[in-house]
Amino acid sequence: MILAADVLDLLDATITNIAAPTITADLGGGPGLVQWLGAAYALALGVLLVPGGRLGDRYGRRRLFLAGLAGFVAASLACGLAPTPAALVAARLLQGAFGALVIPQGFGILGATWPRDQIGKAFALFGPAMGLSAVGGPVLAGFLVDADLAGLGWRPMFLINLLLGGAALFAATRLLPRDTGDRSVSVDGPGSALLAGAMLGVLGGLIDGSAQGWTTRPLALLLLGLAAFAAFCHRQRTAAHPLIEPSLLRNRGFAAGLTLGVVAFAATAGLLYVISLFLQQSLGRTPAGTALGLIPLTLGIVIASIACHGLIHTYGRRLAVTGLLILLAGCVWLTLVVHHSGAHTTSWALTPPLVILGIGMGTCFGTIYDLTIGDIAPTEAGSASGSLNAVQQLANATGAAAVTTVYFHTNGTMSLLVVAAAVTTCLPLTALLPAGPQKEQHH
């Protein structure tokens, strides 16, 4: 059921990439709603992942897992019944918040209950399952939207969580071991609040400026967000139990990998959103047709991720450079195709660059993660992993908002060039990464 909960989270993180145009056509909300649908979920998940893990340590992982999963199902129901854009965005925020309670507990429960020599076998199941979910989520969403079950349009893609999440919850209540937690564990509430305020300000400014024009309000939101982020950074230096261990940020390899990850994850999140919007708004694809059109890219991600798992010990950070160069080549190729053919672009023309993009993404993602924690101390592993996962989610939210802002105000070609420029800035940072991963983390 731990694996099922993680699959459920990934499905809900990706389904709105496909369904956003259909949802906005039904509820209104325009480009702003398109941007908030994915950003709200990733924002709440990213801000609360690290505190969610600490709450599990404090109050018991089983208790937090069950509460988070029950809340996730309830929030999914709220998404499926949402009558307005504001109600849907609020429900997506709740989904992400409850997801942040579930995910850290699952890995903690595995580590505490499985024999050390068996944990590698348990985690080996996650890669293929996550890959299939990355492919299956958009495809499922596309077909559910096109099926228009009971005349409900896009709503069943959220309501299906009542069945999937309900089954996982029933199994969890019977199978998860009980634990009492440790009341001495501290949670940095003020730090979490400052980070949430910072991200809400930045995202709110980007999305409001994109939808309504760059008036005083979006600029003020951006400034407030940046001020909150400065306060968050100060809090991390002075708090007794900060969200990110200060020693991690003093580690050159980790700091470089964290920065590289922010830019790379933000660029690719925005790229995936823009490709989906282009297929539907410019090429007139249905949600199901869009989902099928993205299969070459997602298959490339899965294949490269599996292949690179065994190569990273041999090639180290050279593999990260290779992945970024492949990603850049795919982005340039797709830009040329879109610029040349525009609304007349065919599936045959799109397939090769999408496959290349998928291979580049699959080569980069796991490689960057493993290299970033390549030379940290074993005692810092938990904090490092939680920080990286949180940063990835926040980068996804920011990147989707920023790149779609460019897309809505210019065109597909310009937004792709922005992504290509972001990927290019990542290349020099690879020289600062550790030469290879920690051998102790591979089984």
Side-chain angles (χ1 to χ4, degrees):
M1 83 292 299
I2 292 171
L3 179 58
D6 281 6
V7 167
L8 197 62
D9 162 69
L10 185 57
L11 288 174
D12 278 83
T14 57
I15 54 177
T16 55
N17 289 10
I18 296 295
T22 303
I23 295 173
T24 54
D26 180 33
L27 294 183
L33 180 58
V34 171
Q35 294 169 293
W36 272 117
L37 282 172
Y41 185 91
L43 166 64
L45 186 64
V47 168
L48 296 175
L49 263 177
V50 174
R54 302 233 173 120
L55 286 171
D57 293 338
R58 182 178 176 86
Y59 297 107
R61 297 187 183 104
R62 182 182 190 274
R63 181 181 301 171
L64 267 293
F65 186 93
L66 294 176
L69 191 53
F72 187 90
V73 172
S76 298
L77 176 61
C79 287
L81 300 179
T84 64
L88 181 55
V89 170
R92 287 288 282 171
L93 282 167
L94 285 174
Q95 263 193 321
F98 283 115
L101 294 183
V102 173
I103 294 172
Q105 319 317 328
F107 291 109
I109 290 169
L110 281 178
T113 58
W114 278 61
R116 183 170 296 274
D117 60 347
Q118 296 294 314
I119 291 178
K121 296 179 181 179
F123 280 105
L125 298 173
F126 279 78
M130 296 297 103
L132 290 173
S133 300
V135 177
V139 173
L140 176 63
F143 280 99
L144 283 176
V145 171
D146 276 359
D148 193 21
L149 299 174
L152 293 175
W154 52 271
R155 298 178 188 273
M157 72 180 193
F158 292 113
L159 298 177
I160 196 174
N161 286 345
L162 274 65
L163 296 175
L164 301 176
L169 186 61
F170 176 78
T173 57
R174 292 176 171 269
L175 299 175
L176 287 186
R178 296 183 180 275
D179 59 325
T180 58
D182 180 0
R183 294 299 194 275
S184 66
V185 174
S186 298
V187 181
D188 185 15
S192 301
L194 286 171
L195 181 58
M199 296 307 301
L200 280 171
V202 171
L203 289 174
L206 283 173
I207 294 173
D208 192 43
S210 171
Q212 306 296 332
W214 292 97
T215 60
T216 303
R217 185 174 67 180
L219 293 175
L221 284 172
L222 284 172
L223 289 174
L224 287 173
L226 293 174
F229 184 73
F232 168 76
C233 293
H234 176 72
R235 171 75 185 179
Q236 295 308 288
R237 291 195 300 269
T238 59
H241 302 283
L243 293 178
I244 302 177
E245 294 294 337
S247 59
L248 288 174
L249 297 179
R250 291 193 292 269
N251 183 309
R252 188 187 74 168
F254 182 84
L258 200 66
T259 304
L260 193 160
V262 166
V263 179
F265 290 134
T268 52
L271 174 64
L272 291 172
Y273 232 125
V274 163
I275 292 173
S276 176
L277 291 172
F278 175 76
L279 290 174
Q280 293 182 75
Q281 296 181 345
S282 296
L283 302 188
R285 302 277 185 88
T286 65
T290 299
L292 292 174
L294 290 173
I295 285 180
L297 184 146
T298 49
L299 287 178
I301 293 175
V302 173
I303 293 169
S305 297
I306 295 172
C308 290
H309 180 75
L311 296 176
I312 188 170
H313 289 287
T314 302
Y315 296 100
R317 61 187 171 206
R318 287 175 292 174
L319 197 59
V321 176
T322 301
L324 290 170
L325 290 173
I326 294 172
L327 181 58
L328 181 60
C331 196
V332 171
W333 190 348
L334 184 61
T335 302
L336 294 174
V337 169
V338 171
H339 179 71
H340 180 266
S341 302
H344 301 290
T345 305
T346 65
S347 297
W348 291 110
L350 286 173
T351 297
L354 289 180
V355 171
I356 297 301
L357 283 170
I359 293 173
M361 291 179 191
T363 303
C364 287
F365 291 166
T367 302
I368 291 172
Y369 184 99
D370 283 349
L371 290 172
T372 299
I373 58 178
D375 59 4
I376 63 168
T379 55
E380 298 172 324
S383 178
S385 179
S387 301
L388 281 171
N389 286 326
V391 163
Q392 178 181 348
Q393 294 297 332
L394 295 175
N396 288 345
T398 307
V403 178
T404 51
T405 294
V406 176
Y407 176 82
F408 286 129
H409 279 267
T410 55
N411 51 55
T413 301
M414 184 57 66
S415 57
L416 291 172
L417 289 175
V418 168
V419 172
V423 174
T424 302
T425 64
C426 293
L427 288 167
L429 289 172
T430 58
L432 302 177
L433 293 174
Q438 284 187 345
K439 294 180 180 180
E440 291 82 3
Q441 293 172 348
H442 297 272
H443 304 273

